[in-house]
PDB file of all heavy atoms in Angstrom:
ATOM      1  N   THR A   1      58.165  94.901 112.708  1.00 98.00           N
ATOM      2  CA  THR A   1      58.488  94.740 111.279  1.00 98.00           C
ATOM      3  C   THR A   1      57.980  93.422 110.697  1.00 98.00           C
ATOM      4  O   THR A   1      58.419  93.011 109.629  1.00 98.00           O
ATOM      5  CB  THR A   1      60.010  94.827 111.065  1.00 98.00           C
ATOM      6  OG1 THR A   1      60.650  93.798 111.833  1.00 98.00           O
ATOM      7  CG2 THR A   1      60.545  96.201 111.454  1.00 98.00           C
ATOM      8  N   GLU A   2      57.026  92.786 111.356  1.00 98.00           N
ATOM      9  CA  GLU A   2      56.538  91.494 110.877  1.00 98.00           C
ATOM     10  C   GLU A   2      55.162  91.594 110.206  1.00 98.00           C
ATOM     11  O   GLU A   2      54.387  90.641 110.219  1.00 98.00           O
ATOM     12  CB  GLU A   2      56.525  90.496 112.027  1.00 98.00           C
ATOM     13  CG  GLU A   2      57.937  90.223 112.541  1.00 98.00           C
ATOM     14  CD  GLU A   2      57.989  89.163 113.601  1.00 98.00           C
ATOM     15  OE1 GLU A   2      57.319  89.331 114.647  1.00 98.00           O
ATOM     16  OE2 GLU A   2      58.677  88.161 113.369  1.00 98.00           O
ATOM     17  N   GLN A   3      54.896  92.741 109.584  1.00 98.00           N
ATOM     18  CA  GLN A   3      53.628  92.915 108.883  1.00 98.00           C
ATOM     19  C   GLN A   3      53.381  91.814 107.849  1.00 98.00           C
ATOM     20  O   GLN A   3      52.245  91.336 107.738  1.00 98.00           O
ATOM     21  CB  GLN A   3      53.561  94.299 108.222  1.00 98.00           C
ATOM     22  CG  GLN A   3      53.433  95.450 109.174  1.00 98.00           C
ATOM     23  CD  GLN A   3      54.772  95.932 109.725  1.00 98.00           C
ATOM     24  OE1 GLN A   3      55.828  95.405 109.405  1.00 98.00           O
ATOM     25  NE2 GLN A   3      54.721  96.969 110.552  1.00 98.00           N
ATOM     26  N   PRO A   4      54.409  91.360 107.099  1.00 98.00           N
ATOM     27  CA  PRO A   4      54.146  90.279 106.141  1.00 98.00           C
ATOM     28  C   PRO A   4      53.656  88.994 106.809  1.00 98.00           C
ATOM     29  O   PRO A   4      52.799  88.303 106.261  1.00 98.00           O
ATOM     30  CB  PRO A   4      55.503  90.066 105.459  1.00 98.00           C
ATOM     31  CG  PRO A   4      56.177  91.400 105.576  1.00 98.00           C
ATOM     32  CD  PRO A   4      55.766  91.923 106.930  1.00 98.00           C
ATOM     33  N   LYS A   5      54.171  88.674 107.985  1.00 98.00           N
ATOM     34  CA  LYS A   5      53.703  87.483 108.699  1.00 98.00           C
ATOM     35  C   LYS A   5      52.254  87.648 109.140  1.00 98.00           C
ATOM     36  O   LYS A   5      51.468  86.707 109.079  1.00 98.00           O
ATOM     37  CB  LYS A   5      54.592  87.193 109.904  1.00 98.00           C
ATOM     38  CG  LYS A   5      55.970  86.708 109.530  1.00 98.00           C
ATOM     39  CD  LYS A   5      56.798  86.435 110.767  1.00 98.00           C
ATOM     40  CE  LYS A   5      58.199  85.990 110.391  1.00 98.00           C
ATOM     41  NZ  LYS A   5      59.046  85.791 111.579  1.00 98.00           N
ATOM     42  N   VAL A   6      51.888  88.840 109.579  1.00 98.00           N
ATOM     43  CA  VAL A   6      50.498  89.114 109.957  1.00 98.00           C
ATOM     44  C   VAL A   6      49.604  88.927 108.737  1.00 98.00           C
ATOM     45  O   VAL A   6      48.588  88.223 108.792  1.00 98.00           O
ATOM     46  CB  VAL A   6      50.348  90.534 110.541  1.00 98.00           C
ATOM     47  CG1 VAL A   6      48.882  90.894 110.735  1.00 98.00           C
ATOM     48  CG2 VAL A   6      51.118  90.662 111.852  1.00 98.00           C
ATOM     49  N   ALA A   7      49.976  89.527 107.617  1.00 98.00           N
ATOM     50  CA  ALA A   7      49.168  89.456 106.396  1.00 98.00           C
ATOM     51  C   ALA A   7      48.990  88.026 105.904  1.00 98.00           C
ATOM     52  O   ALA A   7      47.993  87.712 105.239  1.00 98.00           O
ATOM     53  CB  ALA A   7      49.787  90.323 105.308  1.00 98.00           C
ATOM     54  N   ASN A   8      49.918  87.142 106.247  1.00 98.00           N
ATOM     55  CA  ASN A   8      49.793  85.747 105.843  1.00 98.00           C
ATOM     56  C   ASN A   8      48.497  85.120 106.348  1.00 98.00           C
ATOM     57  O   ASN A   8      47.995  84.170 105.754  1.00 98.00           O
ATOM     58  CB  ASN A   8      50.981  84.916 106.337  1.00 98.00           C
ATOM     59  CG  ASN A   8      52.206  85.106 105.470  1.00 98.00           C
ATOM     60  OD1 ASN A   8      52.145  85.661 104.380  1.00 98.00           O
ATOM     61  ND2 ASN A   8      53.341  84.647 105.968  1.00 98.00           N
ATOM     62  N   GLY A   9      47.936  85.640 107.425  1.00 98.00           N
ATOM     63  CA  GLY A   9      46.657  85.118 107.915  1.00 98.00           C
ATOM     64  C   GLY A   9      45.583  85.180 106.851  1.00 98.00           C
ATOM     65  O   GLY A   9      44.818  84.222 106.657  1.00 98.00           O
ATOM     66  N   ALA A  10      45.518  86.295 106.128  1.00 98.00           N
ATOM     67  CA  ALA A  10      44.537  86.441 105.046  1.00 98.00           C
ATOM     68  C   ALA A  10      44.996  85.701 103.791  1.00 98.00           C
ATOM     69  O   ALA A  10      44.198  85.032 103.127  1.00 98.00           O
ATOM     70  CB  ALA A  10      44.297  87.916 104.738  1.00 98.00           C
ATOM     71  N   SER A  11      46.270  85.803 103.475  1.00 98.00           N
ATOM     72  CA  SER A  11      46.793  85.164 102.259  1.00 98.00           C
ATOM     73  C   SER A  11      46.628  83.659 102.294  1.00 98.00           C
ATOM     74  O   SER A  11      46.185  83.039 101.316  1.00 98.00           O
ATOM     75  CB  SER A  11      48.272  85.515 102.083  1.00 98.00           C
ATOM     76  OG  SER A  11      48.425  86.880 101.791  1.00 98.00           O
ATOM     77  N   GLU A  12      46.977  83.048 103.418  1.00 98.00           N
ATOM     78  CA  GLU A  12      46.878  81.591 103.519  1.00 98.00           C
ATOM     79  C   GLU A  12      45.423  81.125 103.481  1.00 98.00           C
ATOM     80  O   GLU A  12      45.122  80.059 102.940  1.00 98.00           O
ATOM     81  CB  GLU A  12      47.612  81.107 104.756  1.00 98.00           C
ATOM     82  CG  GLU A  12      49.122  81.282 104.599  1.00 98.00           C
ATOM     83  CD  GLU A  12      49.928  81.057 105.866  1.00 98.00           C
ATOM     84  OE1 GLU A  12      49.342  80.690 106.907  1.00 98.00           O
ATOM     85  OE2 GLU A  12      51.159  81.272 105.798  1.00 98.00           O
ATOM     86  N   LEU A  13      44.515  81.938 104.028  1.00 98.00           N
ATOM     87  CA  LEU A  13      43.095  81.605 103.937  1.00 98.00           C
ATOM     88  C   LEU A  13      42.662  81.527 102.478  1.00 98.00           C
ATOM     89  O   LEU A  13      41.966  80.589 102.074  1.00 98.00           O
ATOM     90  CB  LEU A  13      42.243  82.643 104.675  1.00 98.00           C
ATOM     91  CG  LEU A  13      40.739  82.508 104.446  1.00 98.00           C
ATOM     92  CD1 LEU A  13      40.186  81.284 105.170  1.00 98.00           C
ATOM     93  CD2 LEU A  13      40.010  83.766 104.859  1.00 98.00           C
ATOM     94  N   MET A  14      43.063  82.508 101.669  1.00 98.00           N
ATOM     95  CA  MET A  14      42.651  82.522 100.260  1.00 98.00           C
ATOM     96  C   MET A  14      43.172  81.297  99.523  1.00 98.00           C
ATOM     97  O   MET A  14      42.472  80.713  98.694  1.00 98.00           O
ATOM     98  CB  MET A  14      43.117  83.809  99.572  1.00 98.00           C
ATOM     99  CG  MET A  14      42.489  85.063 100.131  1.00 98.00           C
ATOM    100  SD  MET A  14      40.677  85.014 100.136  1.00 98.00           S
ATOM    101  CE  MET A  14      40.305  86.429 101.150  1.00 98.00           C
ATOM    102  N   PHE A  15      44.396  80.852  99.837  1.00 98.00           N
ATOM    103  CA  PHE A  15      44.935  79.655  99.207  1.00 98.00           C
ATOM    104  C   PHE A  15      44.185  78.413  99.692  1.00 98.00           C
ATOM    105  O   PHE A  15      43.869  77.525  98.900  1.00 98.00           O
ATOM    106  CB  PHE A  15      46.425  79.527  99.479  1.00 98.00           C
ATOM    107  CG  PHE A  15      47.024  78.310  98.836  1.00 98.00           C
ATOM    108  CD1 PHE A  15      47.116  78.204  97.459  1.00 98.00           C
ATOM    109  CD2 PHE A  15      47.483  77.261  99.613  1.00 98.00           C
ATOM    110  CE1 PHE A  15      47.649  77.066  96.858  1.00 98.00           C
ATOM    111  CE2 PHE A  15      48.016  76.117  99.027  1.00 98.00           C
ATOM    112  CZ  PHE A  15      48.102  76.024  97.649  1.00 98.00           C
ATOM    113  N   GLU A  16      43.865  78.349 100.983  1.00 98.00           N
ATOM    114  CA  GLU A  16      43.095  77.212 101.521  1.00 98.00           C
ATOM    115  C   GLU A  16      41.754  77.069 100.818  1.00 98.00           C
ATOM    116  O   GLU A  16      41.328  75.968 100.484  1.00 98.00           O
ATOM    117  CB  GLU A  16      42.802  77.413 103.011  1.00 98.00           C
ATOM    118  CG  GLU A  16      43.926  77.161 103.952  1.00 98.00           C
ATOM    119  CD  GLU A  16      43.484  77.473 105.382  1.00 98.00           C
ATOM    120  OE1 GLU A  16      42.432  76.950 105.813  1.00 98.00           O
ATOM    121  OE2 GLU A  16      44.186  78.251 106.043  1.00 98.00           O
ATOM    122  N   VAL A  17      41.085  78.207 100.613  1.00 98.00           N
ATOM    123  CA  VAL A  17      39.732  78.182 100.054  1.00 98.00           C
ATOM    124  C   VAL A  17      39.738  78.002  98.540  1.00 98.00           C
ATOM    125  O   VAL A  17      38.978  77.196  97.998  1.00 98.00           O
ATOM    126  CB  VAL A  17      38.961  79.462 100.447  1.00 98.00           C
ATOM    127  CG1 VAL A  17      37.622  79.552  99.720  1.00 98.00           C
ATOM    128  CG2 VAL A  17      38.766  79.526 101.959  1.00 98.00           C
ATOM    129  N   PHE A  18      40.606  78.730  97.842  1.00 98.00           N
ATOM    130  CA  PHE A  18      40.561  78.761  96.377  1.00 98.00           C
ATOM    131  C   PHE A  18      41.679  77.990  95.693  1.00 98.00           C
ATOM    132  O   PHE A  18      41.714  77.946  94.465  1.00 98.00           O
ATOM    133  CB  PHE A  18      40.577  80.218  95.885  1.00 98.00           C
ATOM    134  CG  PHE A  18      39.375  81.003  96.296  1.00 98.00           C
ATOM    135  CD1 PHE A  18      39.447  81.917  97.333  1.00 98.00           C
ATOM    136  CD2 PHE A  18      38.155  80.821  95.662  1.00 98.00           C
ATOM    137  CE1 PHE A  18      38.339  82.647  97.726  1.00 98.00           C
ATOM    138  CE2 PHE A  18      37.039  81.538  96.041  1.00 98.00           C
ATOM    139  CZ  PHE A  18      37.123  82.454  97.078  1.00 98.00           C
ATOM    140  N   GLY A  19      42.591  77.406  96.433  1.00 97.00           N
ATOM    141  CA  GLY A  19      43.717  76.718  95.814  1.00 97.00           C
ATOM    142  C   GLY A  19      44.580  77.712  95.049  1.00 97.00           C
ATOM    143  O   GLY A  19      44.772  78.848  95.486  1.00 97.00           O
ATOM    144  N   GLU A  20      45.082  77.298  93.901  1.00 97.00           N
ATOM    145  CA  GLU A  20      45.984  78.162  93.121  1.00 97.00           C
ATOM    146  C   GLU A  20      45.323  79.489  92.729  1.00 97.00           C
ATOM    147  O   GLU A  20      46.013  80.498  92.571  1.00 97.00           O
ATOM    148  CB  GLU A  20      46.498  77.436  91.873  1.00 97.00           C
ATOM    149  CG  GLU A  20      47.547  76.386  92.179  1.00 97.00           C
ATOM    150  CD  GLU A  20      48.776  76.952  92.895  1.00 97.00           C
ATOM    151  OE1 GLU A  20      49.284  78.004  92.475  1.00 97.00           O
ATOM    152  OE2 GLU A  20      49.221  76.325  93.871  1.00 97.00           O
ATOM    153  N   LYS A  21      43.991  79.494  92.572  1.00 98.00           N
ATOM    154  CA  LYS A  21      43.300  80.741  92.244  1.00 98.00           C
ATOM    155  C   LYS A  21      43.376  81.742  93.399  1.00 98.00           C
ATOM    156  O   LYS A  21      43.092  82.918  93.227  1.00 98.00           O
ATOM    157  CB  LYS A  21      41.830  80.478  91.901  1.00 98.00           C
ATOM    158  CG  LYS A  21      41.634  79.641  90.659  1.00 98.00           C
ATOM    159  CD  LYS A  21      40.187  79.559  90.241  1.00 98.00           C
ATOM    160  CE  LYS A  21      39.287  78.992  91.292  1.00 98.00           C
ATOM    161  NZ  LYS A  21      37.889  78.810  90.859  1.00 98.00           N
ATOM    162  N   GLY A  22      43.756  81.260  94.574  1.00 98.00           N
ATOM    163  CA  GLY A  22      43.865  82.122  95.746  1.00 98.00           C
ATOM    164  C   GLY A  22      45.222  82.781  95.900  1.00 98.00           C
ATOM    165  O   GLY A  22      45.396  83.651  96.747  1.00 98.00           O
ATOM    166  N   ARG A  23      46.198  82.388  95.082  1.00 98.00           N
ATOM    167  CA  ARG A  23      47.525  83.030  95.155  1.00 98.00           C
ATOM    168  C   ARG A  23      47.414  84.421  94.537  1.00 98.00           C
ATOM    169  O   ARG A  23      46.788  84.589  93.498  1.00 98.00           O
ATOM    170  CB  ARG A  23      48.560  82.198  94.429  1.00 98.00           C
ATOM    171  CG  ARG A  23      48.771  80.855  95.101  1.00 98.00           C
ATOM    172  CD  ARG A  23      50.200  80.401  94.970  1.00 98.00           C
ATOM    173  NE  ARG A  23      50.375  79.063  95.473  1.00 98.00           N
ATOM    174  CZ  ARG A  23      50.687  78.777  96.734  1.00 98.00           C
ATOM    175  NH1 ARG A  23      50.849  79.740  97.606  1.00 98.00           N
ATOM    176  NH2 ARG A  23      50.850  77.524  97.103  1.00 98.00           N
ATOM    177  N   HIS A  24      48.061  85.394  95.141  1.00 98.00           N
ATOM    178  CA  HIS A  24      47.820  86.785  94.761  1.00 98.00           C
ATOM    179  C   HIS A  24      49.043  87.656  95.004  1.00 98.00           C
ATOM    180  O   HIS A  24      49.961  87.278  95.733  1.00 98.00           O
ATOM    181  CB  HIS A  24      46.653  87.333  95.594  1.00 98.00           C
ATOM    182  CG  HIS A  24      46.868  87.109  97.056  1.00 98.00           C
ATOM    183  ND1 HIS A  24      46.434  85.954  97.682  1.00 98.00           N
ATOM    184  CD2 HIS A  24      47.499  87.840  98.004  1.00 98.00           C
ATOM    185  CE1 HIS A  24      46.786  86.002  98.958  1.00 98.00           C
ATOM    186  NE2 HIS A  24      47.431  87.127  99.187  1.00 98.00           N
ATOM    187  N   ALA A  25      49.007  88.839  94.409  1.00 98.00           N
ATOM    188  CA  ALA A  25      49.965  89.891  94.748  1.00 98.00           C
ATOM    189  C   ALA A  25      49.497  90.502  96.067  1.00 98.00           C
ATOM    190  O   ALA A  25      48.330  90.350  96.455  1.00 98.00           O
ATOM    191  CB  ALA A  25      49.996  90.944  93.643  1.00 98.00           C
ATOM    192  N   ARG A  26      50.412  91.202  96.769  1.00 98.00           N
ATOM    193  CA  ARG A  26      50.008  91.703  98.074  1.00 98.00           C
ATOM    194  C   ARG A  26      50.880  92.872  98.514  1.00 98.00           C
ATOM    195  O   ARG A  26      52.039  92.966  98.163  1.00 98.00           O
ATOM    196  CB  ARG A  26      50.143  90.567  99.095  1.00 98.00           C
ATOM    197  CG  ARG A  26      49.601  90.941 100.453  1.00 98.00           C
ATOM    198  CD  ARG A  26      49.766  89.832 101.430  1.00 98.00           C
ATOM    199  NE  ARG A  26      51.135  89.816 101.949  1.00 98.00           N
ATOM    200  CZ  ARG A  26      51.612  88.828 102.687  1.00 98.00           C
ATOM    201  NH1 ARG A  26      50.884  87.783 102.979  1.00 98.00           N
ATOM    202  NH2 ARG A  26      52.840  88.892 103.131  1.00 98.00           N
ATOM    203  N   ALA A  27      50.292  93.719  99.328  1.00 98.00           N
ATOM    204  CA  ALA A  27      51.032  94.735 100.075  1.00 98.00           C
ATOM    205  C   ALA A  27      50.744  94.488 101.553  1.00 98.00           C
ATOM    206  O   ALA A  27      49.620  94.128 101.914  1.00 98.00           O
ATOM    207  CB  ALA A  27      50.573  96.137  99.679  1.00 98.00           C
ATOM    208  N   ALA A  28      51.755  94.643 102.389  1.00 98.00           N
ATOM    209  CA  ALA A  28      51.592  94.511 103.837  1.00 98.00           C
ATOM    210  C   ALA A  28      52.342  95.677 104.467  1.00 98.00           C
ATOM    211  O   ALA A  28      53.571  95.723 104.405  1.00 98.00           O
ATOM    212  CB  ALA A  28      52.141  93.175 104.332  1.00 98.00           C
ATOM    213  N   VAL A  29      51.594  96.611 105.019  1.00 98.00           N
ATOM    214  CA  VAL A  29      52.219  97.831 105.534  1.00 98.00           C
ATOM    215  C   VAL A  29      51.820  98.097 106.975  1.00 98.00           C
ATOM    216  O   VAL A  29      50.710  97.766 107.395  1.00 98.00           O
ATOM    217  CB  VAL A  29      51.855  99.058 104.660  1.00 98.00           C
ATOM    218  CG1 VAL A  29      52.379  98.891 103.246  1.00 98.00           C
ATOM    219  CG2 VAL A  29      50.360  99.284 104.621  1.00 98.00           C
ATOM    220  N   GLY A  30      52.732  98.690 107.700  1.00 98.00           N
ATOM    221  CA  GLY A  30      52.446  99.118 109.063  1.00 98.00           C
ATOM    222  C   GLY A  30      51.887 100.525 109.049  1.00 98.00           C
ATOM    223  O   GLY A  30      52.340 101.372 108.279  1.00 98.00           O
ATOM    224  N   VAL A  31      50.889 100.742 109.878  1.00 98.00           N
ATOM    225  CA  VAL A  31      50.268 102.062 109.985  1.00 98.00           C
ATOM    226  C   VAL A  31      50.131 102.416 111.465  1.00 98.00           C
ATOM    227  O   VAL A  31      50.055 101.527 112.314  1.00 98.00           O
ATOM    228  CB  VAL A  31      48.886 102.101 109.287  1.00 98.00           C
ATOM    229  CG1 VAL A  31      49.030 101.848 107.792  1.00 98.00           C
ATOM    230  CG2 VAL A  31      47.928 101.092 109.887  1.00 98.00           C
ATOM    231  N   PRO A  32      50.088 103.709 111.786  1.00 98.00           N
ATOM    232  CA  PRO A  32      50.010 104.105 113.196  1.00 98.00           C
ATOM    233  C   PRO A  32      48.619 103.976 113.820  1.00 98.00           C
ATOM    234  O   PRO A  32      48.491 103.973 115.038  1.00 98.00           O
ATOM    235  CB  PRO A  32      50.465 105.558 113.180  1.00 98.00           C
ATOM    236  CG  PRO A  32      50.139 106.045 111.810  1.00 98.00           C
ATOM    237  CD  PRO A  32      50.311 104.853 110.908  1.00 98.00           C
ATOM    238  N   ALA A  33      47.572 103.865 112.993  1.00 97.00           N
ATOM    239  CA  ALA A  33      46.204 103.737 113.509  1.00 97.00           C
ATOM    240  C   ALA A  33      45.311 103.226 112.392  1.00 97.00           C
ATOM    241  O   ALA A  33      45.588 103.424 111.211  1.00 97.00           O
ATOM    242  CB  ALA A  33      45.687 105.081 114.007  1.00 97.00           C
TER     243      ALA A  33
END
């Protein structure tokens, strides 16, 4: 159930690179494959 923590890998990268322009809406979902 930690999909949001996994997705933070991409989210935090966008903030590192773009600053405030990198903050975004997001979906983080688990899938079977």
Side-chain angles (χ1 to χ4, degrees):
T1 59
E2 296 185 302
Q3 290 85 0
K5 290 180 182 177
V6 171
N8 281 347
S11 292
E12 291 170 3
L13 171 72
M14 296 305 168
F15 181 67
E16 283 177 52
V17 172
F18 296 103
E20 286 302 314
K21 296 188 302 184
R23 295 213 186 270
H24 52 270
R26 186 181 80 190
V29 297
V31 297

